[in-house]
Amino acid sequence: MTIQRFLKFYALLLLISGCGEPRTDLLPVNLRCDFRQNPLGIDDVSPRLTWILQGEGRSRRQIAYQIQVASTQAQLDKDVIDLWDSGKIFTDESANIRYAGASLGSGVMCFWKVRIWDESDQVSEWSKVNHWSVGLLQETDWVAQWIGFDEAWNDRGIEVKPWANQIEKAKQYKPLPSPHLRKEFEVVHEVKSAKVYVTALGVFELYINGQRVGDDYFTPGWTDYGKRVDYNTYEVSALLKKGKNVIAAILADGWYAGNMADRGQYWYGEKLRLKAQMIMEDEAGNRDTIRTDDTWKASYGPIREADLQGGETYDARLEMNGWNQVDYDDKSWSGVEISDSFSVKLGGYPGVPIRKTEEIKPKHIFEISSGKYIVDMGQNFAGWAKIQVNGNPGDSIVMRFAEKLNSDSTLHTRNLRSARCTDTYILKGGGPETWEPRFTYHGYQFIEVSGFPEKLTSENITGIVVHSDLPRTGWFECSDALINRIYSNQLWSQRSNYFDVPTDCPQRDERMGWTGDAQIFMKTAAYNMDVSAFYNKWLVDVVDGQRNGMFPSTAPRVYNRIAAGWGDAGVICPWTFFQAYNDSSILREYYPSMKLWMDYLESKSVNHLSGIGSYGDWQNVKSETPIELITTAYYKHVSDLMAKIATVLDYKPDAQHYNSLSMKIKDAFIQKFVDVATDNTQTADLLALSFDLLPDTLIDSYRARLRNDIWNHDTTLTTGIHGTKFLMPVLGEYDLGLAYQLLNNTKFPSWGHHIENGATTIWERWDSYSDTSGFHKDSTNSLNHYAYGSVGEWFYSTIAGIESDGSGYKHIIIRPQPGGGLTWANAAYNSIRGPIKSSWRIDEGKYHLNISIPANTDATVYIPTSNANSVVESGRLIIDSPDISVISEESGRIVLKVGSGDYSFQSDL
């Protein structure tokens, strides 16, 4: 054997043994498809695939990737790649890589893995296998029928015509029991795989053989039922058995037929319906389908009322033991109604389900009268209460929910308006009973419990926290307890209000997806939690609500009023999404709708001044900013964003048009509103400074005027939700001390004033409540309203100093700005590229900064010192470090460039 043949043979042996190619320890992890892990039933046939990289050392990066997709995991494991093999793709991109393989049809399963090549061109091991499945893409894929049970409706004795006067509807509200539906069926062969696709007009809970399917609540979520209804997909093979089986469901009003905002019942429709089909496949590839049709049976059970706002009433004496299991005697049950006349687009649910996320035990329980207790959970939140009780048949326990108490320790319910917020449980007796509702929720801290048959203790009652189960991505803490409480309050308000859509409040008869609040808070929200899938779903609702170019003020659309700062969310939110998650396809998908909005704004403008209305600077403090100023400022802002979006999408003529439009709006704004000699509101100045509406020569004058106005108001703010959004970022640019002073303030109006008066969430009004003045006289007074919580983004971006340059954190900016007497701050953010950390402290005149930069990214780091020679990293002068580059030495700070990895800096202040 020649030496050449020997070397070839040896190389082949190495390759076969797995040692033929050097391996890197840089591994792709946390694989996601369309922003979720292992989603089922998606509509996207070219979904976005994302991963992050994990490995030791510094300046680690990806130079190439390879994705493989197969229709079974067994094929993928054996390298039988029947759907897509990307080959080695030279790019450092790891987010939102579009699937580009074989065409995918309805129901197809896709198993995928990825490997990467690192900065030394060494290949990684393959990632763990993840999967997704395609939903039912064509209308003809659905063979199920809409079924329901209307006996109680027919007997209710009240005739209410759809779209009747809403006040009359609210007066005529009468609870209806929840339909229970079931069907037995036979499984002949062992089931290899089974998926059930299920939706409802209303909300549903699904069972197979007595086992609840999934752990989500309020499915299929809230949509504009005139435009679309989402469906959920579940893998259920583990719940099936050979022989007899049963599939069953409970329906409740939800958003479809229940009390909707302040519109009463039946805003979308009247009678509840279920549509479901289960496709089973055995080892031989044979398929069988179970569907909703006229073979199902129906009855009513213990749930006598289930309304989102009204509450849930459950009579345990009416329980039907075994109703959702095989061999239950359903001879007395009725047939179902068929409603195939309802035709609307069905789509795979793209969001994040609502789930139970936490349990809270009471902080305090006390008796206010004989047999009537007040339970203080110690925290305002959204959810319900679980009770454990032992009593007699027919004992009735009534729970009423509220956010705060009156001075006489009774529940304060005026701010609930028409929302009854009452749950009732009627005991069956015979031993300990545990109950919790599942088709209602409340925003509350306090519960009034009456009718409890024994002394109520903390062992008997538990608060259940419920909201869209978004992964937590942000953490923050610092040396100031007040700032930490503000941070906690805004986080709790997000948890309470991200409830399938970004609602304004969880307690009263509103709970709508106000677009203005959502756009104001979105950047903070994206720091706190992974909101990618959540907004991916809600942006569909926004576009569904568009009429004649006009984006709605609420999504799903309930109110018809069009307002600047609210409708503009149709442009602002996709751009904010792009900045956080680097997904240009969101911009491309919604660009036509954005253009329609801009066309509408242009058609309503006069001499480039906006001509549409607005709700103004909502909840300002006696400082009304002119509506036309606000609307024109936002007109300029969205024109600038459209120019940026058109540039990203390479729509050059559009970019030129919107840049030109922006300049014309600015000129008109200056001519109409800019006058340093005239008094102005804080919000007016903030919008002018934030949206580039001033000539350069007047920027300093406006900054000085804003500063003076804050001082003249006893160093407090007067801003509503729009001004507050920009207050801290603007002040942080030129008067950091004043920004910290406002943040640390406890005088009215301030975040600290809320906390001094018992707030555990963000309030709707600066003067919602005080111990001295009591409650605001207006019943529109939510104590859990996240808009003022937009200050949360400043905690991450300025106090901790974690920002992106707009590239979805491909390039990171670390720029902490200590102040306000803080001695330390810690923050972490799990970006779409991986975890980022920033931790600083000041100790005996020394500044210490520890950071962590994820693989496949780099960062610009700002060190607040005038002495470059004092800056060391891990004990070494930065000028001697091969991993650090000095970009510039500015006044009072050193600017550095670093790659990925962990760094520990120290410098003189």
Side-chain angles (χ1 to χ4, degrees):
M1 180 182 292
T2 66
I3 187 65
Q4 290 85 359
R5 291 180 65 187
F6 173 78
L7 291 174
K8 288 181 179 180
F9 177 72
Y10 182 67
L12 179 62
L13 287 177
L14 288 176
L15 185 61
I16 293 172
S17 66
C19 302
E21 192 173 7
R23 299 285 180 176
T24 178
D25 67 339
L26 191 62
L27 298 174
V29 298
N30 192 21
L31 275 61
R32 284 156 288 164
C33 172
D34 275 355
F35 312 111
R36 295 173 290 168
Q37 288 189 328
N38 302 324
L40 297 177
I42 68 174
D43 286 345
D44 192 349
V45 294
S46 181
R48 292 151 287 193
L49 305 179
T50 298
W51 57 91
I52 66 172
L53 297 174
Q54 195 173 77
E56 297 296 324
R58 293 180 173 178
S59 299
R60 305 302 307 276
R61 59 190 179 91
Q62 165 193 306
I63 65 166
Y65 71 78
Q66 181 181 10
I67 296 172
Q68 290 184 343
V69 187
S71 54
T72 69
Q73 182 163 347
Q75 287 174 294
L76 191 64
D77 291 342
K78 295 176 183 178
D79 293 327
V80 179
I81 311 304
D82 60 335
L83 293 179
W84 185 37
D85 188 335
S86 70
K88 185 176 182 180
I89 305 297
F90 285 91
T91 177
D92 63 353
E93 188 54 77
S94 60
N96 305 310
I97 306 298
R98 284 286 183 179
Y99 169 83
S103 296
L104 302 177
S106 296
V108 170
M109 281 295 301
C110 301
F111 295 85
W112 71 290
K113 61 184 179 180
V114 61
R115 63 177 178 175
I116 64 95
W117 283 261
D118 71 2
E119 66 280 353
S120 301
D121 202 19
Q122 291 186 346
V123 70
S124 72
E125 299 290 344
W126 286 102
S127 69
K128 293 182 179 179
V129 175
N130 278 39
H131 64 261
W132 80 84
S133 77
V134 182
L136 303 181
L137 301 176
Q138 307 299 326
E139 185 177 349
T140 53
D141 293 327
W142 284 93
V143 296
Q145 296 176 290
W146 290 104
I147 67 170
F149 187 48
D150 302 336
E151 183 180 285
W153 172 271
N154 297 332
D155 294 341
R156 71 197 312 271
I158 294 177
E159 180 182 359
V160 181
K161 296 179 180 179
W163 312 104
N165 179 276
Q166 303 304 330
I167 297 176
E168 291 304 312
K169 281 173 140 182
K171 289 179 181 177
Q172 293 174 334
Y173 169 62
K174 179 181 179 180
L176 292 177
S178 285
H180 289 53
L181 309 167
R182 72 187 306 272
K183 174 186 173 63
E184 289 199 17
F185 60 96
E186 191 86 11
V187 173
V188 178
H189 303 288
E190 293 291 341
V191 175
K192 181 183 75 171
S193 67
K195 288 186 179 60
V196 60
Y197 305 88
V198 56
T199 186
L201 303 179
V203 292
F204 70 84
E205 198 168 85
L206 189 70
Y207 297 87
I208 293 179
N209 294 328
Q211 297 296 310
R212 191 177 188 276
V213 176
D215 59 357
D216 39 5
Y217 289 85
F218 304 100
T219 45
W222 182 10
T223 55
D224 184 337
Y225 294 89
K227 289 288 188 75
R228 76 181 67 241
V229 177
D230 287 335
Y231 63 87
N232 295 79
T233 305
Y234 305 93
E235 165 56 48
V236 294
S237 56
L239 301 180
L240 296 168
K241 59 185 179 181
K242 193 174 180 180
K244 287 184 179 180
N245 291 262
V246 66
I247 182 170
I250 307 173
L251 297 178
D253 292 353
W255 295 274
Y256 178 74
N259 281 286
M260 165 56 58
D262 56 357
R263 297 322 202 211
Q265 286 180 287
Y266 320 122
W267 177 251
Y268 294 105
E270 299 173 345
K271 297 175 182 178
L272 306 180
R273 293 293 181 261
L274 176 75
K275 191 169 191 173
Q277 67 188 54
M278 180 167 58
I279 302 173
M280 301 176 292
E281 184 174 339
D282 63 22
E283 291 291 346
N286 300 309
R287 287 191 170 192
D288 193 14
T289 299
I290 303 300
R291 64 186 182 120
T292 47
D293 56 20
D294 60 5
T295 64
W296 286 56
K297 303 290 288 293
S299 182
Y300 295 113
I303 302 175
R304 311 311 296 168
E305 171 192 11
D307 184 82
L308 290 179
Q309 297 179 14
E312 190 164 321
T313 297
Y314 188 96
D315 189 342
R317 298 171 300 178
L318 301 178
E319 288 180 343
M320 304 172 292
N321 293 328
W323 74 275
N324 54 10
Q325 299 179 30
V326 297
D327 295 328
Y328 176 77
D329 184 2
D330 61 7
K331 292 186 179 64
S332 63
W333 284 41
S334 303
V336 296
E337 301 285 344
I338 303 293
S339 299
D340 279 350
S341 60
F342 185 85
S343 178
V344 70
K345 176 179 173 59
L346 297 178
Y349 181 68
V352 179
I354 296 168
R355 295 188 177 98
K356 298 190 290 189
T357 64
E358 186 177 346
E359 295 189 355
I360 298 178
K361 297 304 291 184
K363 181 180 179 181
H364 183 45
I365 298 176
F366 59 94
E367 196 170 12
I368 58 171
S369 62
S370 179
K372 184 176 290 187
Y373 295 88
I374 294 293
V375 179
D376 179 2
M377 303 306 300
Q379 173 64 53
N380 197 353
F381 63 96
W384 54 70
K386 178 173 68 175
I387 57 172
Q388 294 175 295
V389 61
N390 195 350
N392 300 313
D395 285 348
S396 181
I397 300 170
V398 178
M399 293 179 286
R400 299 170 61 226
F401 298 82
E403 295 183 293
K404 211 162 180 66
L405 300 180
N406 296 314
S407 58
D408 61 356
S409 295
T410 59
L411 295 184
H412 179 76
T413 58
R414 183 162 57 92
N415 71 333
L416 303 180
R417 302 193 307 206
S418 68
R420 189 158 43 86
C421 303
T422 301
D423 293 341
T424 302
Y425 179 69
I426 302 170
L427 278 70
K428 60 186 173 185
E433 301 174 46
T434 299
W435 177 77
E436 59 184 296
R438 64 257 233 185
F439 296 122
T440 189
Y441 78 101
H442 314 289
Y444 74 99
Q445 178 175 334
F446 297 91
I447 314 171
E448 177 197 272
V449 181
S450 57
F452 206 80
E454 51 191 335
K455 181 177 175 59
L456 183 68
T457 72
S458 61
E459 296 298 314
N460 302 118
I461 192 162
T462 304
I464 307 297
V465 180
V466 183
H467 54 86
S468 291
D469 190 15
L470 308 181
R472 178 94 179 262
T473 53
W475 293 264
F476 171 88
E477 62 176 344
C478 68
S479 58
D480 188 290
L482 178 64
I483 295 176
N484 291 339
R485 184 72 250 187
I486 297 170
Y487 174 79
S488 174
N489 286 7
Q490 59 84 33
L491 183 62
W492 271 105
S493 280
Q494 181 175 355
R495 294 179 70 183
S496 303
N497 283 292
Y498 273 42
F499 210 91
D500 197 60
V501 306
T503 64
D504 58 327
C505 58
Q507 76 295 99
R508 67 181 180 228
D509 59 349
E510 191 165 352
R511 313 185 192 189
M512 289 190 295
W514 284 100
T515 50
D517 302 58
Q519 65 92 356
I520 283 167
F521 188 72
M522 186 177 175
K523 187 173 181 181
T524 297
Y527 272 122
N528 290 333
M529 302 176 188
D530 182 353
V531 299
S532 54
F534 182 84
Y535 271 87
N536 191 41
K537 183 267 182 191
W538 184 69
L539 286 171
V540 177
D541 299 327
V542 173
V543 173
D544 279 351
Q546 191 173 31
R547 305 284 194 275
N548 299 318
M550 297 175 284
F551 281 127
S553 294
T554 60
R557 187 188 187 108
V558 177
Y559 291 163
N560 289 323
R561 183 173 178 181
I562 305 303
W566 278 261
D568 295 310
V571 175
I572 297 170
C573 290
W575 177 251
T576 306
F577 191 108
F578 169 71
Q579 289 184 303
Y581 303 113
N582 199 42
D583 180 22
S584 61
S585 67
I586 284 283
L587 303 179
R588 195 175 304 277
E589 179 178 359
Y590 295 117
Y591 190 77
S593 297
M594 297 184 219
K595 284 196 71 174
L596 289 175
W597 172 248
M598 297 305 298
D599 291 344
Y600 168 74
L601 294 182
E602 289 187 60
S603 73
K604 293 297 182 181
S605 69
V606 178
N607 297 324
H608 302 296
L609 296 172
S610 175
I612 73 169
S614 178
Y615 295 99
D617 190 26
W618 188 251
Q619 302 299 355
N620 65 84
V621 184
K622 298 178 181 179
S623 181
E624 294 293 341
T625 304
I627 294 296
E628 190 180 27
L629 186 150
I630 293 173
T631 60
T632 302
Y634 267 101
Y635 186 23
K636 162 70 161 57
H637 181 47
V638 292
S639 297
D640 286 336
L641 294 186
M642 286 297 288
K644 293 177 181 178
I645 292 168
T647 299
V648 170
L649 299 177
D650 199 27
Y651 299 157
K652 294 179 182 177
D654 281 2
Q656 293 171 353
H657 168 72
Y658 291 119
N659 275 321
S660 175
L661 178 61
S662 171
M663 289 187 286
K664 292 173 183 176
I665 298 169
K666 179 175 180 177
D667 290 342
F669 185 94
I670 290 172
Q671 184 174 352
K672 174 83 175 199
F673 298 112
V674 174
D675 183 357
V676 293
T678 303
D679 288 338
N680 217 343
T681 66
Q682 292 177 15
T683 292
D685 289 350
L686 286 163
L687 294 180
L689 289 163
S690 299
F691 294 163
D692 184 27
L693 283 160
L694 298 171
D696 292 344
T697 55
L698 292 183
I699 291 176
D700 287 342
S701 297
Y702 262 65
R703 286 175 167 178
R705 183 168 72 175
L706 175 62
R707 181 193 294 115
N708 292 336
D709 189 87
I710 293 171
W711 284 341
N712 291 338
H713 283 88
D714 196 21
T715 323
T716 59
L717 50 84
T718 63
T719 52
I721 63 173
H722 294 289
T724 302
K725 158 77 175 176
F726 302 104
L727 182 64
M728 301 299 284
V730 167
L731 287 178
E733 290 181 0
Y734 72 98
D735 197 334
L736 187 66
L738 182 56
Y740 272 107
Q741 193 170 347
L742 288 178
L743 191 60
N744 286 307
N745 196 5
T746 57
K747 296 179 295 186
F748 170 81
S750 66
W751 297 277
H753 181 262
H754 285 176
I755 292 167
E756 291 281 297
N757 288 277
T760 61
T761 46
I762 299 296
W763 292 350
E764 179 177 16
R765 299 173 178 271
W766 292 118
D767 56 352
S768 284
Y769 171 82
S770 75
D771 292 336
T772 56
S773 302
F775 295 96
H776 193 280
K777 62 181 180 179
D778 197 321
S779 62
T780 303
N781 186 23
S782 165
L783 301 181
N784 199 345
H785 221 88
Y786 58 66
Y788 286 140
S790 60
V791 69
E793 69 180 72
W794 202 75
F795 296 176
Y796 292 102
S797 66
T798 302
I799 298 179
I802 297 175
E803 293 183 276
S804 171
D805 68 350
S807 60
Y809 294 91
K810 193 72 173 71
H811 181 73
I812 299 158
I813 299 170
I814 302 292
R815 183 168 45 195
Q817 298 184 55
L822 295 183
T823 57
W824 60 267
N826 301 325
Y829 172 57
N830 288 346
S831 74
I832 195 170
R833 313 287 182 180
I836 306 166
K837 296 179 182 179
S838 173
S839 175
W840 63 263
R841 63 184 172 88
I842 297 172
D843 184 16
E844 297 181 352
K846 296 287 186 180
Y847 174 76
H848 304 264
L849 175 65
N850 295 320
I851 64 173
S852 182
I853 306 301
N856 211 32
T857 70
D858 56 30
T860 300
V861 182
Y862 292 76
I863 306 294
T865 183
S866 299
N867 184 4
N869 293 326
S870 74
V871 183
V872 298
E873 192 283 315
S874 297
R876 175 191 291 183
L877 289 172
I878 56 173
I879 57 175
D880 296 331
S881 175
D883 304 314
I884 302 170
S885 301
V886 178
I887 299 175
S888 65
E889 297 184 25
E890 302 175 2
S891 176
R893 62 188 181 189
I894 308 300
V895 185
L896 311 173
K897 176 76 174 291
V898 302
S900 66
D902 299 329
Y903 298 84
S904 180
F905 295 98
Q906 179 181 302
S907 69
D908 294 335
L909 284 172

